[in-house]
Amino acid sequence: MDKLLYVAASGAKQNMLGIAVKANNLANAKTTAFKADLEQARSMQAFGEGLPTRVFAMEERPGSRLSAGALSMTGRELDIAVGENGWLAVQDANGDEAYTRSGNLRMSETGQLFTANGLPVIGEAGPVILPVPIEKVQIAKDGMIQVRPQGAPANFIEDIDRLKLVSAYGVQPLEKGLDGLFRNKDGTELDTDPNMTVTSGALEMSNVNPVDEMVGMISHQRQFELQVKMMKTAEKIDESQSSLMRIY
């Protein structure tokens, strides 16, 4: 009896975790450059006193889907879409280097360049700070930030800094943190890729497939309901056993 209840209860718990992953993906279906989280379930033996005869389910997030999302042309000068396998370097909340493909950039009153989430953008010499006041700012294909200072001739363009663009090849070379940023698995900083390019005036959309995520949520929900039915069955069997014991 305890085996049936244990397996059903652990399965229901893991189904809830799977639903949470799918729900988070759906909630970010419109988030710029969001990478969908993957989830999988596997059987794990429960070790303890005696023989390992019990097996429970474990839901885990092995990584994220790193495929590129569709491009949306915005025409905005500070919007960029990083090329395939490329990442934009930013500073996280702790001041460490992290990576994102979200390219909707903003400039503060002091000229510092930030992401839409307020993270400082990193260039070749550290955080990017532009000389203000500026009449025009644009980002070239190679990531070079070019500006026209206020009062300068219309044909005058000055190179200020180049965005730090890195490449990450291979199977899951980066891992996503709880803040949504990606980092190198071994904790080291990636080197600048001089061949990486960006598309100015465009943003990469989320790579979440809402239909797939919804189907996955329905599947997890049905599995959860089945686990609950198994727990109710275990309760009925236990009540029947108790009734037989009272008869004897």
Side-chain angles (χ1 to χ4, degrees):
M1 178 56 55
D2 62 327
K3 295 181 180 180
L4 173 60
L5 185 59
Y6 181 83
V7 171
S10 65
K13 176 183 177 181
Q14 300 306 314
N15 282 142
M16 289 298 295
L17 295 177
I19 291 174
V21 172
K22 296 295 185 183
N24 182 65
N25 287 342
L26 277 176
N28 289 280
K30 297 296 184 181
T31 301
T32 302
F34 178 82
K35 302 303 176 187
D37 292 324
L38 304 174
E39 54 82 27
Q40 67 181 20
R42 59 190 174 113
S43 298
M44 295 291 293
Q45 282 188 321
F47 293 94
E49 296 182 0
L51 296 175
T53 58
R54 287 162 177 73
V55 177
F56 64 95
M58 184 178 75
E59 192 84 17
E60 57 187 1
R61 193 192 77 181
S64 303
R65 187 182 301 117
L66 299 183
S67 59
L71 287 188
S72 175
M73 304 305 296
T74 65
R76 182 173 173 270
E77 294 175 335
L78 287 180
D79 284 345
I80 59 169
V82 185
E84 185 177 2
N85 296 318
W87 297 83
L88 174 66
V90 298
Q91 280 188 345
D92 63 15
N94 297 322
D96 299 323
E97 185 169 301
Y99 307 103
T100 181
R101 285 180 62 87
S102 180
N104 43 348
L105 308 182
R106 303 285 187 271
M107 185 179 68
S108 69
E109 294 181 354
T110 60
Q112 187 165 2
L113 208 59
F114 294 91
T115 65
N117 295 329
L119 301 174
V121 177
I122 297 177
E124 293 181 336
V128 177
I129 300 178
L130 307 180
V132 290
I134 297 173
E135 285 189 3
K136 180 180 177 62
V137 58
Q138 62 188 31
I139 300 177
K141 186 176 181 179
D142 63 352
M144 181 62 70
I145 305 171
Q146 302 172 325
V147 302
R148 183 171 72 236
Q150 188 174 8
N155 60 349
F156 179 84
I157 291 294
E158 181 182 3
D159 294 342
I160 301 300
D161 198 354
R162 185 178 186 269
L163 299 173
K164 181 175 181 181
L165 303 171
V166 303
S167 299
Y169 298 95
V171 180
Q172 295 294 332
L174 301 176
E175 58 183 358
K176 184 193 287 188
L178 297 178
D179 55 3
L181 298 175
F182 288 78
R183 296 169 180 83
N184 202 8
K185 284 188 174 182
D186 60 11
T188 61
E189 297 179 359
L190 297 176
D191 295 329
T192 300
D193 184 352
N195 299 316
M196 185 54 59
T197 61
V198 300
T199 301
S200 183
L203 289 176
E204 179 186 346
M205 297 293 99
S206 169
N207 68 353
V208 173
N209 187 321
V211 175
D212 288 347
E213 300 301 328
M214 184 62 69
V215 171
M217 280 193 66
I218 294 174
S219 176
H220 278 292
Q221 183 64 40
R222 289 178 176 174
Q223 292 175 19
F224 176 80
E225 293 172 355
L226 178 61
Q227 304 288 5
V228 172
K229 288 181 180 179
M230 292 294 292
M231 286 187 280
K232 291 182 178 178
T233 300
E235 182 182 9
K236 291 180 180 179
I237 294 175
D238 184 65
E239 291 176 352
S240 299
Q241 292 177 341
S242 298
S243 297
L244 289 173
M245 293 297 293
R246 285 195 294 270
I247 291 175
Y248 289 99

